[in-house]
Amino acid sequence: MKKFRRVLDGLTTSSPAGVGGGAATPLAPGTVPRELEVRETLVSDNFQVCKTTRHGFPFQPTALAFDPIQKVLAIGCRADAIRLGRPGVDCHCQHESGAAVLQVQFLINEGALVTACADDTLHLWNLRQKHPAVLHSLKFNRERITFCHVPFQSKWLYVGTERGNTHIVNIESFILSGYVIMWNKAIELSTKTHPGPVVHLSDRPRDEAKLLIAFESGTVVQWDLRAKKADFRIQYDEAIRSVGWHHEGKLFMCSHADGSLTTWNMRNTTKPFQVTFPHGKTQKDSKKAESCKPIPKVEFKTTRSSEPFIVFSGGLSYDKAGKRPALTIMHGKSVTVLEMDHPIVDFLVLCETPYPNEVQEPYAVAVLLEKDFIMVDLTQSNFPVFENPYPMDIHVSPVTCTAYFTECPADLIHVLYSLGIMQKKQGFSHKVRPASATTPVFHRHADGSVKFWDASAMTLKMLYMVKTCKVFEKPKAAEGRGSEVMEEDPYVVQSVIWCPHSQLLCVVGFSAYAILYRFNKHDATAEIVPLEVYLQSETEDSVSPAPVDVHPATVDPRIRSPQPFPGNPGGTTASSVRDSAPYLKVKTRAARMPAGYQAQLVIQILTADGDHPQQITGVDVNSAYGLLALGCGNNLVLVDYLQKSLLFCMNIQELHSDPYLRVRSPHKIKQFSTGLTELSDNPVPSELERSRSPTSGNTECRAPLSLSLSLSLTPAVRLGRRGPGRPPFRKAQSAACMEISLPVSHSEESRESSFSRSRSSSISSVDREAKESITALHFMESFARKTDAAPSPSLWVGTSLGVVVLSVSLSLSLSLCLSGTVLMVKGSVLRFASLDFNGSLIHTPYEVWQDPHLQENPERSRRCKLPVSRSSSQDVPGEGHLAVVCSEKQAKVFLMPAQTCLYAHSITESSFVLCADMVSICNSVCLACFCANGHIMTLSLPSLRPLLDGSYLPLTDTRIARTFCFAGGQALYLDSPTEIQRVTYSQEICDNLQDLLGELFIPLETPEVQNRGFLKGFFGSSVQTLDREELFGEAAAGKASRSLAQHIPGQASVEILRGGAGGVVGELAKARLALDERGQRLGELEERTSHMMSSAETFSKHAHELMLKCKDKKWYQF
């Protein structure tokens, strides 16, 4: 099948008309010149979709486990997932059932994990492979699982149920044993009530034959596994939540629902040895302490050099209203309460030894919160928190969108990392964190922050953060329309444009603002320039009674007189509009800005009548041109960010208006920054009136329309805009930034109308304006008209109904011209790109960033500022390029300047494209698309051959559509409110994925048992071992009822099962494994024997030398 696909790929590559299914056919066959036939190298075998890794904090965590030897941490989640991690390794696993994970238990140093889910199913996971897999599953049919316990170095699992029974499972075969501890046999015969569910199971330290069972009602039973009877029973009035053992097995501590801790001595179990209320004060009237909150969990750990540690959660007094969740650490007489920002889900005390019958020596506490994970250092008296090396705070503020970049200078990453260190919090522990779970990624948050992350490895690392809220004054309570939105999330970030080479950063917010940042390695004191652009409200659809001029007159910058706004009778001024409009106020006073990205310009979109402004739907910035373009619904705004002035603001109707309708009055634009111009209404020039065709009102607007606009600035402004050391504009194509554009939401009726191939001729220009909006903007070197002989800087404007080419011809005279060329596509435009005639991507021109404080040779500085070109299009005869346009339904490739459609491909008919981008893979370029039906598709360029159409993930949440983005051979999106999932569609990355993920299990020797000493071992209690196979095996206990639980084999091979599958192959694998282990042990024994022999020989030699030396000496000579 693969050979057949290669043959088809070869045939389609050689034919520009799209031979092979007719997937990509030119609109006019035979129009593709032979010199434009590009030999494409990408085939279907180069693509495969698979998940790579997941970043962030696990969503809705429920359980925590830790392997003290392997240093692996496991977190169970409510959404049937498990996150496994160790330093440098992060793995995400998911159950097929979809049930929440209730408990996680490691088989310590065995490379296995047991999970108990809410559907009463036990799962055994194999961690000895890079991607864990389920070996066995056991489904309980008649009882609900409440607690599980795996003794250290045991192959038997204790399972407590809601009915109070305790079952035993063989881990190797994962079947139930016939040995069952029934609740009615565990309690007193005289007890008339049910003890409740099992809340705790554990072996007694130094006596494996004793099993401690705690019931929720307050009953504690020590069960003798050999004698099959209870040694003692404890009846307590308060409900039990958890139990913690002393390492010698003489004491154990219980936590209760009334906030008390009870300590029990094994010598006298009739009453508790000690009862304490750690946070309860004794009332004056009675001896009874005040009521406290329950203590869900307590751990009792001992040390050699000091008092034991008692760590528990909860137990605070009810009287302390508003008290945050807390973790209490009791060490001797000192009591330390650590308040948490989120509720505590679970915690574990990490110890040096895995043996429960030895001195524990705790060194840290791992605390799992609902939205965070922290580790407390127990070795220091103030109990500091370890700094988390991996991202757990992606969700501190809701993520609104993401961006992924692959081509970034290495020195910039190092600078961002050094600046980010200064932003980190202080007060962390200086010790290395004991355990945990150069491609930057951007996260934009609802609080207005933009975070830079290093994603060059399989883990994320925080680099730097920009806070946009520092640009604005603290918002006051707004009145009128839109106040609720502004008060709730005024700083929500919508999108971002970043150029790593020129180090420009443009942040766009939902509150209709755009902030331009420029990078600076040094601190600076400067003012932020606000630029306010007033637009007419969308409800104003009136047509001016007479033609108006779209040619703005040159106005003296010193003129600052207020002008009346359209639709506001009585001469409403800008000041009154500013007071009523719900927008953020920019800090205009001079302020000191730290090194990093410093705000230079803030553009705010406002409405003349005080209504809530339209959101910014498209944005692009170019450092080589010094321009910033914004699409605000159906308005286009072009800003010169070097001069901090507004060039023009224009409606879509004014770009391709109906000749039978007069052009609507342009919007009044008021600028409040010093030295900026003010544009006003003027008559329409006669050239525009003569260019209108009497028949164009009944056609589809496919022909180029003649519409021009010239803008001439004063010589002083023209000279000051670029500066003496800045070179003029020139043709250049080079590596530059990726821009991100969010698709505009449409109603179903509007989307269906935009998807149709031909629009009705009865739609007027006013109706068209109401439906059409700007969805994509892109600066590039292109040809504005068919007659252009050379490319010029241009801005491509994509709308929800078509594509408009707006030529921004910028030269030394800074003239601006609108070509009016319209190229139609199907659906809302998402993405633009430019290719040379060899099929290589032509990057947007950029200007290389230079340190403004660095004193260098002017000539050298000038050469460094020139845009760098990586294109070979200049060598192609005829001077042209290929323009790629992708919409939510269709992709087209146009030949420029001829404006001929060479290739067209319908991406999807039943769905629509959410995200599209031109990416480089295998030294070639292709078009990658993500559709709403969950399909990831790739198309070759320029022929638009389908290469991949894989069903990956259906669109179940708008969060995925908002955050999905492509880069290189990978993509990422926000899978949950706290986690980011990375995906690859490259076969090369999939083949090397196993080498990149790392190992969860590393073969390590189990630590030896501590030497207790001769006297302590002789007089103290010795460790009692238990042959559990003899008690729980089928020969002694028999078989369990088949109706009690159902065994479900996992999808694993016989080698992974390690002989547990049974049969001849399983027995051979088991015997082979046993022989390997025996040979390894024999080898170790032989090495130890040889070492002992050499030591004995050395000792004998030294003893003989000492004997010869002292042979002839008298006793008094010593």
PDB file of all heavy atoms in Angstrom, residues 323-344:
ATOM      1  N   LYS A 323     -10.494  31.030  57.583  1.00  0.00           N
ATOM      2  CA  LYS A 323      -9.165  30.440  57.692  1.00  0.00           C
ATOM      3  C   LYS A 323      -8.884  29.601  56.461  1.00  0.00           C
ATOM      4  O   LYS A 323      -9.716  28.800  56.033  1.00  0.00           O
ATOM      5  CB  LYS A 323      -9.078  29.570  58.947  1.00  0.00           C
ATOM      6  CG  LYS A 323      -7.669  29.297  59.431  1.00  0.00           C
ATOM      7  CD  LYS A 323      -7.029  30.516  60.035  1.00  0.00           C
ATOM      8  CE  LYS A 323      -5.675  30.171  60.650  1.00  0.00           C
ATOM      9  NZ  LYS A 323      -5.036  31.352  61.247  1.00  0.00           N
ATOM     10  N   ARG A 324      -7.718  29.752  55.904  1.00  0.00           N
ATOM     11  CA  ARG A 324      -7.362  29.006  54.708  1.00  0.00           C
ATOM     12  C   ARG A 324      -6.953  27.582  55.056  1.00  0.00           C
ATOM     13  O   ARG A 324      -6.602  27.298  56.203  1.00  0.00           O
ATOM     14  CB  ARG A 324      -6.232  29.714  53.969  1.00  0.00           C
ATOM     15  CG  ARG A 324      -6.637  31.066  53.408  1.00  0.00           C
ATOM     16  CD  ARG A 324      -5.571  31.618  52.483  1.00  0.00           C
ATOM     17  NE  ARG A 324      -4.340  31.912  53.182  1.00  0.00           N
ATOM     18  CZ  ARG A 324      -3.244  32.391  52.580  1.00  0.00           C
ATOM     19  NH1 ARG A 324      -3.253  32.610  51.287  1.00  0.00           N
ATOM     20  NH2 ARG A 324      -2.149  32.646  53.269  1.00  0.00           N
ATOM     21  N   PRO A 325      -6.973  26.659  54.086  1.00  0.00           N
ATOM     22  CA  PRO A 325      -6.506  25.285  54.351  1.00  0.00           C
ATOM     23  C   PRO A 325      -5.069  25.301  54.832  1.00  0.00           C
ATOM     24  O   PRO A 325      -4.247  26.111  54.384  1.00  0.00           O
ATOM     25  CB  PRO A 325      -6.650  24.593  52.999  1.00  0.00           C
ATOM     26  CG  PRO A 325      -7.641  25.399  52.248  1.00  0.00           C
ATOM     27  CD  PRO A 325      -7.480  26.811  52.720  1.00  0.00           C
ATOM     28  N   ALA A 326      -4.760  24.389  55.760  1.00  0.00           N
ATOM     29  CA  ALA A 326      -3.451  24.425  56.402  1.00  0.00           C
ATOM     30  C   ALA A 326      -2.902  23.025  56.572  1.00  0.00           C
ATOM     31  O   ALA A 326      -3.649  22.043  56.691  1.00  0.00           O
ATOM     32  CB  ALA A 326      -3.523  25.124  57.757  1.00  0.00           C
ATOM     33  N   LEU A 327      -1.584  22.945  56.577  1.00  0.00           N
ATOM     34  CA  LEU A 327      -0.836  21.732  56.897  1.00  0.00           C
ATOM     35  C   LEU A 327      -0.063  22.002  58.176  1.00  0.00           C
ATOM     36  O   LEU A 327       0.683  22.989  58.258  1.00  0.00           O
ATOM     37  CB  LEU A 327       0.116  21.359  55.759  1.00  0.00           C
ATOM     38  CG  LEU A 327       0.928  20.076  55.960  1.00  0.00           C
ATOM     39  CD1 LEU A 327       0.042  18.859  55.712  1.00  0.00           C
ATOM     40  CD2 LEU A 327       2.129  20.039  55.029  1.00  0.00           C
ATOM     41  N   THR A 328      -0.229  21.130  59.159  1.00  0.00           N
ATOM     42  CA  THR A 328       0.396  21.322  60.467  1.00  0.00           C
ATOM     43  C   THR A 328       1.546  20.338  60.638  1.00  0.00           C
ATOM     44  O   THR A 328       1.401  19.143  60.348  1.00  0.00           O
ATOM     45  CB  THR A 328      -0.623  21.122  61.589  1.00  0.00           C
ATOM     46  OG1 THR A 328      -1.736  21.992  61.376  1.00  0.00           O
ATOM     47  CG2 THR A 328      -0.003  21.426  62.946  1.00  0.00           C
ATOM     48  N   ILE A 329       2.688  20.863  61.096  1.00  0.00           N
ATOM     49  CA  ILE A 329       3.872  20.051  61.360  1.00  0.00           C
ATOM     50  C   ILE A 329       4.202  20.198  62.842  1.00  0.00           C
ATOM     51  O   ILE A 329       4.532  21.298  63.313  1.00  0.00           O
ATOM     52  CB  ILE A 329       5.066  20.489  60.492  1.00  0.00           C
ATOM     53  CG1 ILE A 329       4.706  20.402  59.012  1.00  0.00           C
ATOM     54  CG2 ILE A 329       6.294  19.636  60.798  1.00  0.00           C
ATOM     55  CD1 ILE A 329       5.788  20.914  58.086  1.00  0.00           C
ATOM     56  N   MET A 330       4.098  19.095  63.582  1.00  0.00           N
ATOM     57  CA  MET A 330       4.413  19.061  65.007  1.00  0.00           C
ATOM     58  C   MET A 330       5.734  18.326  65.185  1.00  0.00           C
ATOM     59  O   MET A 330       5.855  17.154  64.822  1.00  0.00           O
ATOM     60  CB  MET A 330       3.299  18.358  65.792  1.00  0.00           C
ATOM     61  CG  MET A 330       1.943  19.029  65.665  1.00  0.00           C
ATOM     62  SD  MET A 330       0.620  18.112  66.485  1.00  0.00           S
ATOM     63  CE  MET A 330       1.179  18.153  68.193  1.00  0.00           C
ATOM     64  N   HIS A 331       6.712  19.051  65.733  1.00  0.00           N
ATOM     65  CA  HIS A 331       8.036  18.481  65.964  1.00  0.00           C
ATOM     66  C   HIS A 331       8.432  18.815  67.394  1.00  0.00           C
ATOM     67  O   HIS A 331       8.840  19.944  67.696  1.00  0.00           O
ATOM     68  CB  HIS A 331       9.042  19.045  64.967  1.00  0.00           C
ATOM     69  CG  HIS A 331      10.390  18.409  65.048  1.00  0.00           C
ATOM     70  ND1 HIS A 331      11.554  19.093  64.789  1.00  0.00           N
ATOM     71  CD2 HIS A 331      10.769  17.152  65.359  1.00  0.00           C
ATOM     72  CE1 HIS A 331      12.590  18.276  64.926  1.00  0.00           C
ATOM     73  NE2 HIS A 331      12.129  17.095  65.280  1.00  0.00           N
ATOM     74  N   GLY A 332       8.302  17.817  68.270  1.00  0.00           N
ATOM     75  CA  GLY A 332       8.543  18.074  69.674  1.00  0.00           C
ATOM     76  C   GLY A 332       7.465  18.982  70.231  1.00  0.00           C
ATOM     77  O   GLY A 332       6.266  18.717  70.123  1.00  0.00           O
ATOM     78  N   LYS A 333       7.870  20.077  70.870  1.00  0.00           N
ATOM     79  CA  LYS A 333       6.922  21.030  71.425  1.00  0.00           C
ATOM     80  C   LYS A 333       6.525  22.124  70.440  1.00  0.00           C
ATOM     81  O   LYS A 333       5.611  22.912  70.723  1.00  0.00           O
ATOM     82  CB  LYS A 333       7.517  21.670  72.680  1.00  0.00           C
ATOM     83  CG  LYS A 333       7.755  20.691  73.822  1.00  0.00           C
ATOM     84  CD  LYS A 333       8.293  21.407  75.057  1.00  0.00           C
ATOM     85  CE  LYS A 333       8.519  20.429  76.201  1.00  0.00           C
ATOM     86  NZ  LYS A 333       9.033  21.107  77.427  1.00  0.00           N
ATOM     87  N   SER A 334       7.205  22.217  69.325  1.00  0.00           N
ATOM     88  CA  SER A 334       6.895  23.262  68.341  1.00  0.00           C
ATOM     89  C   SER A 334       5.788  22.793  67.403  1.00  0.00           C
ATOM     90  O   SER A 334       5.753  21.634  66.981  1.00  0.00           O
ATOM     91  CB  SER A 334       8.142  23.621  67.535  1.00  0.00           C
ATOM     92  OG  SER A 334       8.550  22.526  66.745  1.00  0.00           O
ATOM     93  N   VAL A 335       4.875  23.705  67.117  1.00  0.00           N
ATOM     94  CA  VAL A 335       3.760  23.444  66.194  1.00  0.00           C
ATOM     95  C   VAL A 335       3.798  24.516  65.113  1.00  0.00           C
ATOM     96  O   VAL A 335       3.694  25.718  65.410  1.00  0.00           O
ATOM     97  CB  VAL A 335       2.409  23.458  66.919  1.00  0.00           C
ATOM     98  CG1 VAL A 335       1.277  23.217  65.928  1.00  0.00           C
ATOM     99  CG2 VAL A 335       2.386  22.409  68.022  1.00  0.00           C
ATOM    100  N   THR A 336       3.959  24.101  63.867  1.00  0.00           N
ATOM    101  CA  THR A 336       4.044  25.018  62.728  1.00  0.00           C
ATOM    102  C   THR A 336       2.847  24.784  61.820  1.00  0.00           C
ATOM    103  O   THR A 336       2.586  23.644  61.406  1.00  0.00           O
ATOM    104  CB  THR A 336       5.342  24.809  61.937  1.00  0.00           C
ATOM    105  OG1 THR A 336       6.464  24.953  62.822  1.00  0.00           O
ATOM    106  CG2 THR A 336       5.453  25.813  60.811  1.00  0.00           C
ATOM    107  N   VAL A 337       2.131  25.840  61.530  1.00  0.00           N
ATOM    108  CA  VAL A 337       0.959  25.767  60.651  1.00  0.00           C
ATOM    109  C   VAL A 337       1.307  26.457  59.336  1.00  0.00           C
ATOM    110  O   VAL A 337       1.630  27.653  59.319  1.00  0.00           O
ATOM    111  CB  VAL A 337      -0.269  26.429  61.297  1.00  0.00           C
ATOM    112  CG1 VAL A 337      -1.468  26.349  60.359  1.00  0.00           C
ATOM    113  CG2 VAL A 337      -0.587  25.763  62.624  1.00  0.00           C
ATOM    114  N   LEU A 338       1.251  25.708  58.237  1.00  0.00           N
ATOM    115  CA  LEU A 338       1.531  26.232  56.902  1.00  0.00           C
ATOM    116  C   LEU A 338       0.214  26.424  56.168  1.00  0.00           C
ATOM    117  O   LEU A 338      -0.470  25.455  55.839  1.00  0.00           O
ATOM    118  CB  LEU A 338       2.439  25.268  56.123  1.00  0.00           C
ATOM    119  CG  LEU A 338       3.770  24.902  56.784  1.00  0.00           C
ATOM    120  CD1 LEU A 338       4.525  23.898  55.927  1.00  0.00           C
ATOM    121  CD2 LEU A 338       4.618  26.137  57.025  1.00  0.00           C
ATOM    122  N   GLU A 339      -0.160  27.670  55.942  1.00  0.00           N
ATOM    123  CA  GLU A 339      -1.405  27.963  55.237  1.00  0.00           C
ATOM    124  C   GLU A 339      -1.212  27.811  53.739  1.00  0.00           C
ATOM    125  O   GLU A 339      -0.192  28.214  53.181  1.00  0.00           O
ATOM    126  CB  GLU A 339      -1.878  29.376  55.563  1.00  0.00           C
ATOM    127  CG  GLU A 339      -2.304  29.550  57.013  1.00  0.00           C
ATOM    128  CD  GLU A 339      -2.915  30.913  57.255  1.00  0.00           C
ATOM    129  OE1 GLU A 339      -2.825  31.766  56.344  1.00  0.00           O
ATOM    130  OE2 GLU A 339      -3.479  31.114  58.338  1.00  0.00           O
ATOM    131  N   MET A 340      -2.210  27.233  53.101  1.00  0.00           N
ATOM    132  CA  MET A 340      -2.166  26.948  51.670  1.00  0.00           C
ATOM    133  C   MET A 340      -3.152  27.852  50.927  1.00  0.00           C
ATOM    134  O   MET A 340      -4.147  28.306  51.495  1.00  0.00           O
ATOM    135  CB  MET A 340      -2.491  25.479  51.401  1.00  0.00           C
ATOM    136  CG  MET A 340      -1.594  24.508  52.154  1.00  0.00           C
ATOM    137  SD  MET A 340       0.127  24.637  51.618  1.00  0.00           S
ATOM    138  CE  MET A 340       0.942  23.600  52.831  1.00  0.00           C
ATOM    139  N   ASP A 341      -2.855  28.080  49.663  1.00  0.00           N
ATOM    140  CA  ASP A 341      -3.734  28.904  48.830  1.00  0.00           C
ATOM    141  C   ASP A 341      -4.934  28.131  48.316  1.00  0.00           C
ATOM    142  O   ASP A 341      -5.929  28.740  47.920  1.00  0.00           O
ATOM    143  CB  ASP A 341      -2.957  29.477  47.644  1.00  0.00           C
ATOM    144  CG  ASP A 341      -1.856  30.419  48.083  1.00  0.00           C
ATOM    145  OD1 ASP A 341      -2.004  31.033  49.151  1.00  0.00           O
ATOM    146  OD2 ASP A 341      -0.839  30.530  47.369  1.00  0.00           O
ATOM    147  N   HIS A 342      -4.841  26.794  48.300  1.00  0.00           N
ATOM    148  CA  HIS A 342      -5.908  25.960  47.770  1.00  0.00           C
ATOM    149  C   HIS A 342      -6.167  24.801  48.728  1.00  0.00           C
ATOM    150  O   HIS A 342      -5.304  24.457  49.548  1.00  0.00           O
ATOM    151  CB  HIS A 342      -5.549  25.421  46.383  1.00  0.00           C
ATOM    152  CG  HIS A 342      -5.088  26.473  45.422  1.00  0.00           C
ATOM    153  ND1 HIS A 342      -5.951  27.344  44.805  1.00  0.00           N
ATOM    154  CD2 HIS A 342      -3.838  26.805  44.978  1.00  0.00           C
ATOM    155  CE1 HIS A 342      -5.270  28.162  44.021  1.00  0.00           C
ATOM    156  NE2 HIS A 342      -3.994  27.860  44.113  1.00  0.00           N
ATOM    157  N   PRO A 343      -7.337  24.162  48.652  1.00  0.00           N
ATOM    158  CA  PRO A 343      -7.617  23.013  49.511  1.00  0.00           C
ATOM    159  C   PRO A 343      -6.616  21.879  49.283  1.00  0.00           C
ATOM    160  O   PRO A 343      -6.160  21.635  48.168  1.00  0.00           O
ATOM    161  CB  PRO A 343      -9.032  22.594  49.093  1.00  0.00           C
ATOM    162  CG  PRO A 343      -9.641  23.832  48.520  1.00  0.00           C
ATOM    163  CD  PRO A 343      -8.520  24.576  47.871  1.00  0.00           C
ATOM    164  N   ILE A 344      -6.293  21.180  50.380  1.00  0.00           N
ATOM    165  CA  ILE A 344      -5.333  20.075  50.319  1.00  0.00           C
ATOM    166  C   ILE A 344      -6.059  18.807  49.876  1.00  0.00           C
ATOM    167  O   ILE A 344      -7.060  18.407  50.477  1.00  0.00           O
ATOM    168  CB  ILE A 344      -4.664  19.872  51.689  1.00  0.00           C
ATOM    169  CG1 ILE A 344      -3.894  21.121  52.097  1.00  0.00           C
ATOM    170  CG2 ILE A 344      -3.730  18.673  51.654  1.00  0.00           C
ATOM    171  CD1 ILE A 344      -3.300  21.054  53.483  1.00  0.00           C
TER     172      ILE A 344
END
